[in-house]
Amino acid sequence: MRTEVTLQGLQAALSPIRLARKSIGFVPTMGNLHQGHIALVKEAKKYCDVVVVSIFVNPSQFGAGEDFEKYPRTLEADSQLLADAGCDMIFAPSVQQMYGNKPQLTTVQVNDIANDLCGKSRPDHFTGVATVVTKLFNMVQPNAAFFGEKDWQQLAVIRHLTTDLCFSIDIIGVPIVRDEQGLALSSRNGYLSPEEKQTAIQIYKTLKMVEQEVKSGQATDLDAILQRGRDYLTQQGFVVDYLEARTPDLKMVTDLGQDMVVLAAAKLGSTRLIDNLQIKCSH
Amino acid sequence: MRTEVTLQGLQAALSPIRLARKSIGFVPTMGNLHQGHIALVKEAKKYCDVVVVSIFVNPSQFGAGEDFEKYPRTLEADSQLLADAGCDMIFAPSVQQMYGNKPQLTTVQVNDIANDLCGKSRPDHFTGVATVVTKLFNMVQPNAAFFGEKDWQQLAVIRHLTTDLCFSIDIIGVPIVRDEQGLALSSRNGYLSPEEKQTAIQIYKTLKMVEQEVKSGQATDLDAILQRGRDYLTQQGFVVDYLEARTPDLKMVTDLGQDMVVLAAAKLGSTRLIDNLQIKCSH
């Protein structure tokens, strides 16, 4: 496994792969990797000849007062995990490599779906994501790119920009990896105290409660179910950002019998956690 | 020369060219071609093995009340000109091919430089241009793309987005082609009456007057020179949108001894014309 830290190095490393017409699978990450990321790498290995993982903590997707500075940088441990998982190449550029010396004037915006849910409390987040992913897609020029379903809204944004901007890249969503207690793996779980970690599992429990009520066939009011879920999370000590149901492509749910995704974002102390659960109702 | 009207057809036609590792030169146009476009094709032929010209009147770069509907569509005459110029492939997609059935949510915005000059009176124009060019770049994946210097601000926007979004595409600017009287060739010249066409040549004359004053070494006040130019154009019957000087990369000019570009946009009747002239002062 090789590690490239410059765009030039990346291009030199990718050039013989392209010439040999090997397929390239791409997994963009911010590092501090866990088994959720490793699932992406393993999925990419199934689809593609060569797997490239980028590790870049992208400043433009963090808002003021968010955790850009303290976001954990753990390249050595990440490299070990990736080597074990069969990753072929790490691309770990600096901010200066990614954004250069000139001011960056160009942004990629995905309207509507980027303004819902997380976009409401993180107004520039998805523009930062969409812009850096567009840059990375143009640098790596992969055949397929792999994103975790934990960031369901991000996945929807990426799918839309890939279609809208006519990238010839397959976008593959990979299911959430959870710990034994149901907590969705996330780099931000590392911020939690042991007590907070115990509380954090209530997010998944709440999503499952919503699922059960929706599937019971007795409920008729989705808003009331979600409100009970929000109240439960608040009782557990969360500051709830949202608990909402959307169609899988993030449209409004109009009918309790539709397939849907229930999405949650809530803060425990200063740590913001997100999770979601697909509910398949239609037959 | 082949003509493709679908993305699938384009990809099928480009695939053997890529496999043979031939270089692709790309000239995006809105059709209604003139010798200015042909100069782009000829320049592309010098640089690249294969030249692809797109012809697409892009609705998203026209504002309300602009000339999208009446913009001339002349595919047959364009094809003849392009065949004679040595173009290898025309890509002439429909609006439906370019934008699909789903709503397009993604836009590419180039801030700052896109809000100056033409951006002031055409607020969404360069977002429309930047978005469609990003789409076309991803469809054609050229080695180099060729743009006329007549649209100087557009060229600056494209250069910026290409760098910012990390496209591996050389952007080549090609000098303005003028008729015998100095009028910059433009598809919109076709809207002019014979009398208006006589008046239209005053734009270039004004740019040359500004150049002469700047180069005379006697002037100290650039604003005053430009104001005289605006007044002259108004006297000739134009409604002046702007007559401004900028550095070649569209920053403010701070010193009369700098290299600069003088840029003009003015209306004759309902026809909006633009032109520019580079002034080299530094040695």
Side-chain angles (χ1 to χ4, degrees):
Chain A
M1 187 183 68
R2 57 196 290 178
T3 299
E4 300 295 341
V5 297
T6 68
L7 181 53
Q8 254 183 332
L10 177 75
Q11 298 303 359
L14 289 174
S15 176
I17 294 165
R18 287 195 229 286
L19 288 178
R21 293 182 208 164
K22 288 184 180 166
S23 61
I24 298 171
F26 178 46
V27 181
T29 81
M30 299 208 301
N32 194 237
L33 304 181
H34 51 65
Q35 290 303 315
H37 298 105
I38 298 309
L40 300 176
V41 174
K42 289 186 174 161
E43 196 68 11
K45 284 297 278 186
K46 279 194 227 161
Y47 275 78
C48 299
D49 300 321
V50 171
V51 175
V52 179
V53 175
S54 67
I55 296 180
F56 179 62
V57 185
N58 173 38
S60 77
Q61 71 192 68
F62 289 79
E66 290 187 0
D67 56 344
F68 173 68
E69 294 299 335
K70 76 165 180 174
Y71 200 90
R73 276 80 167 171
T74 54
L75 185 57
E76 202 178 317
D78 293 346
S79 300
Q80 190 58 58
L81 270 177
L82 289 173
D84 295 346
C87 168
D88 299 281
M89 198 184 302
I90 297 177
F91 178 48
S94 64
V95 171
Q96 137 77 22
Q97 273 293 315
M98 282 300 288
Y99 290 103
N101 290 320
K102 277 194 177 181
Q104 168 103 13
L105 303 183
T106 310
T107 57
V108 178
Q109 304 199 4
V110 181
N111 298 304
D112 298 353
I113 48 171
N115 304 327
D116 192 15
L117 303 168
C118 286
K120 286 185 181 166
S121 52
R122 307 185 74 189
D124 297 324
H125 171 66
F126 287 115
T127 296
V129 169
T131 304
V132 83
V133 167
T134 300
K135 288 162 75 80
L136 288 166
F137 279 3
N138 280 335
M139 289 172 167
V140 178
Q141 294 175 43
N143 300 83
F146 299 77
F147 294 85
E149 289 181 352
K150 189 181 134 272
D151 300 285
W152 189 277
Q153 188 178 9
Q154 171 178 277
L155 179 56
V157 165
I158 301 294
R159 283 193 199 283
H160 238 291
L161 94 80
T162 302
T163 304
D164 286 352
L165 298 184
C166 309
F167 279 106
S168 300
I169 301 173
D170 293 331
I171 304 299
I172 314 288
V174 177
I176 297 174
V177 179
R178 301 181 180 280
D179 72 11
E180 324 75 56
Q181 297 191 280
L183 178 62
L185 297 194
S186 164
S187 299
R188 291 192 170 100
N189 293 349
Y191 297 151
L192 301 172
S193 70
E195 297 73 33
E196 286 174 331
K197 212 168 171 189
Q198 271 310 304
T199 308
I201 62 178
Q202 300 296 332
I203 298 183
Y204 184 55
K205 195 175 156 193
T206 307
L207 296 173
K208 293 296 281 183
M209 280 162 44
V210 171
E211 179 187 40
Q212 202 170 22
E213 284 206 65
V214 168
K215 288 194 148 181
S216 70
Q218 292 168 350
T220 53
D221 185 347
L222 182 57
D223 286 339
I225 298 173
L226 293 167
Q227 191 53 50
R228 281 193 288 279
R230 285 178 211 122
D231 293 344
Y232 179 79
L233 284 171
T234 306
Q235 284 157 26
Q236 301 299 313
F238 289 91
V239 175
V240 179
D241 185 358
Y242 61 79
L243 177 70
E244 296 287 352
R246 295 286 184 271
T247 68
D249 57 351
L250 295 186
K251 295 199 171 63
M252 291 295 150
V253 174
T254 53
D255 175 356
L256 263 173
Q258 277 181 291
D259 281 351
M260 64 180 86
V261 187
V262 183
L263 305 106
K267 272 190 158 184
L268 266 185
S270 60
T271 306
R272 188 174 182 277
L273 300 171
I274 62 172
D275 198 353
N276 68 76
L277 184 68
Q278 293 179 69
I279 303 180
K280 304 216 172 188
C281 296
S282 52
H283 307 284
Chain B
M1 187 184 68
R2 56 197 289 179
T3 299
E4 300 295 341
V5 297
T6 68
L7 180 53
Q8 254 184 331
L10 177 74
Q11 297 304 0
L14 288 174
S15 176
I17 293 165
R18 288 195 230 286
L19 288 177
R21 293 180 208 164
K22 288 184 180 165
S23 62
I24 298 171
F26 178 46
V27 181
T29 81
M30 298 208 300
N32 195 237
L33 304 179
H34 50 66
Q35 289 303 316
H37 298 105
I38 298 309
L40 300 176
V41 174
K42 289 187 173 160
E43 196 67 12
K45 285 296 277 186
K46 279 194 226 161
Y47 275 78
C48 298
D49 300 321
V50 170
V51 174
V52 179
V53 175
S54 66
I55 295 179
F56 179 61
V57 185
N58 172 37
S60 76
Q61 70 192 70
F62 289 79
E66 289 186 2
D67 55 344
F68 172 67
E69 294 297 338
K70 77 164 180 174
Y71 200 90
R73 277 80 166 170
T74 54
L75 185 57
E76 202 178 317
D78 293 345
S79 300
Q80 190 58 57
L81 270 176
L82 289 173
D84 294 346
C87 167
D88 299 282
M89 199 183 302
I90 297 176
F91 177 48
S94 63
V95 171
Q96 137 78 20
Q97 272 293 315
M98 282 301 287
Y99 289 103
N101 289 321
K102 276 194 176 182
Q104 168 102 14
L105 303 183
T106 310
T107 57
V108 178
Q109 303 198 4
V110 181
N111 300 302
D112 298 354
I113 47 171
N115 304 328
D116 193 14
L117 303 169
C118 286
K120 287 185 179 165
S121 51
R122 307 184 74 190
D124 298 322
H125 171 66
F126 287 115
T127 296
V129 169
T131 305
V132 81
V133 167
T134 299
K135 289 162 74 82
L136 287 166
F137 279 3
N138 280 336
M139 289 172 167
V140 178
Q141 294 175 43
N143 300 82
F146 299 78
F147 294 85
E149 289 181 351
K150 189 183 135 266
D151 300 286
W152 188 278
Q153 188 177 9
Q154 171 177 278
L155 178 55
V157 165
I158 301 295
R159 282 193 200 283
H160 239 290
L161 93 82
T162 302
T163 304
D164 286 352
L165 298 184
C166 309
F167 280 106
S168 301
I169 300 173
D170 293 330
I171 304 300
I172 315 289
V174 177
I176 297 175
V177 178
R178 300 182 180 281
D179 72 9
E180 323 76 55
Q181 298 190 281
L183 177 63
L185 298 194
S186 164
S187 300
R188 290 192 171 99
N189 293 349
Y191 298 150
L192 300 171
S193 69
E195 296 74 32
E196 286 174 330
K197 211 166 171 191
Q198 271 310 305
T199 308
I201 62 178
Q202 300 296 331
I203 298 183
Y204 184 55
K205 196 176 157 193
T206 306
L207 296 173
K208 294 297 280 182
M209 280 163 43
V210 171
E211 180 189 38
Q212 202 169 23
E213 283 205 67
V214 168
K215 287 195 150 182
S216 71
Q218 292 169 349
T220 54
D221 184 346
L222 183 57
D223 287 338
I225 297 173
L226 293 168
Q227 190 54 49
R228 282 194 285 280
R230 286 177 209 122
D231 292 344
Y232 179 78
L233 283 170
T234 306
Q235 284 158 24
Q236 301 299 313
F238 289 89
V239 175
V240 179
D241 185 358
Y242 61 80
L243 177 70
E244 296 287 351
R246 295 285 184 272
T247 67
D249 56 351
L250 295 186
K251 294 198 172 63
M252 291 295 150
V253 174
T254 53
D255 174 357
L256 262 173
Q258 277 180 291
D259 282 351
M260 65 181 85
V261 186
V262 182
L263 306 105
K267 272 190 159 183
L268 265 187
S270 59
T271 305
R272 189 174 181 277
L273 301 172
I274 63 173
D275 198 353
N276 68 77
L277 184 69
Q278 291 179 70
I279 303 179
K280 304 214 173 190
C281 295
S282 53
H283 306 284

